């Protein structure tokens, strides 16, 4: 079953970031939130496909038990953005190594169907 989340505003995809999180589910958004809170530049790329689409509520999340999955994701995107993270609606089709930075940091390039990198 492939179900999309309701439409949400997408941020612009920056040219360079410290971290790209592929997948905007609860785990991806939580990771992005912690990175953004740690002052890392982070972008979440999310296709909007819900794996838990049949579920009416999330369970086992302290203080959020019973929250509908789309509401949890809406709140998560909002919190990531509050710390400077970005959330981009899209699907990653490839991730490949790129040339190291001038400082020797390892880098990679992420490609979306629209040819954005």
């Amino acid at each position: 079953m492939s179900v999309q989340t309701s439409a949400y505003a997408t941020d612009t995809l920056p040219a360079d970031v410290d971290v790209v999180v592929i997948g905007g589910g609860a785990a991806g958004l939580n990771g992005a939130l912690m990175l953004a809170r740690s002052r890392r530049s982070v972008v979440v790329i999310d296709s909007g496909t819900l794996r838990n689409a049949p579920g009416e509520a999330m369970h086992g999340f302290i203080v959020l038990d019973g929250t509908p999955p789309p509401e949890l994701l809406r709140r998560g995107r909002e919190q990531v953005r509050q710390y400077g993270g970005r959330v981009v609606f899209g699907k990653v089709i490839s991730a490949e190594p790129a040339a190291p930075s001038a400082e020797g940091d390892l880098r990679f390039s992420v490609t979306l169907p629209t040819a954005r990198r």
Side-chain angles (χ1 to χ4, degrees):
M1 174 183 246
S2 178
V3 175
Q4 296 290 118
T5 59
S6 57
Y8 62 87
T10 185
D11 297 322
T12 58
L13 185 62
D16 290 313
V17 293
D18 294 329
V19 180
V20 174
V21 175
I22 301 171
L29 289 169
N30 191 66
L33 176 62
M34 294 298 99
L35 289 161
R37 285 178 51 104
S38 299
R39 299 184 182 191
R40 298 291 183 245
S41 59
V42 62
V43 62
V44 177
I45 301 177
D46 176 32
S47 70
T49 303
L50 288 173
R51 291 189 325 171
N52 62 346
E56 293 182 19
M58 300 286 294
H59 297 288
F61 280 63
I62 191 166
V63 304
L64 293 177
D65 193 61
T67 302
E71 174 63 14
L72 182 79
L73 299 177
R74 184 196 66 74
R75 288 183 189 184
R77 290 189 292 266
E78 180 180 297
Q79 288 179 356
V80 167
R81 288 175 171 136
Q82 286 174 350
Y83 287 94
R86 296 182 185 196
V87 181
V88 173
F89 185 83
K91 183 176 180 180
V92 174
I93 57 173
S94 72
E96 300 172 2
S101 71
E103 296 80 25
D105 294 331
L106 298 179
R107 298 165 56 119
F108 62 95
S109 177
V110 175
T111 304
L112 281 62
T114 56
R116 295 182 292 177
R117 289 180 173 247

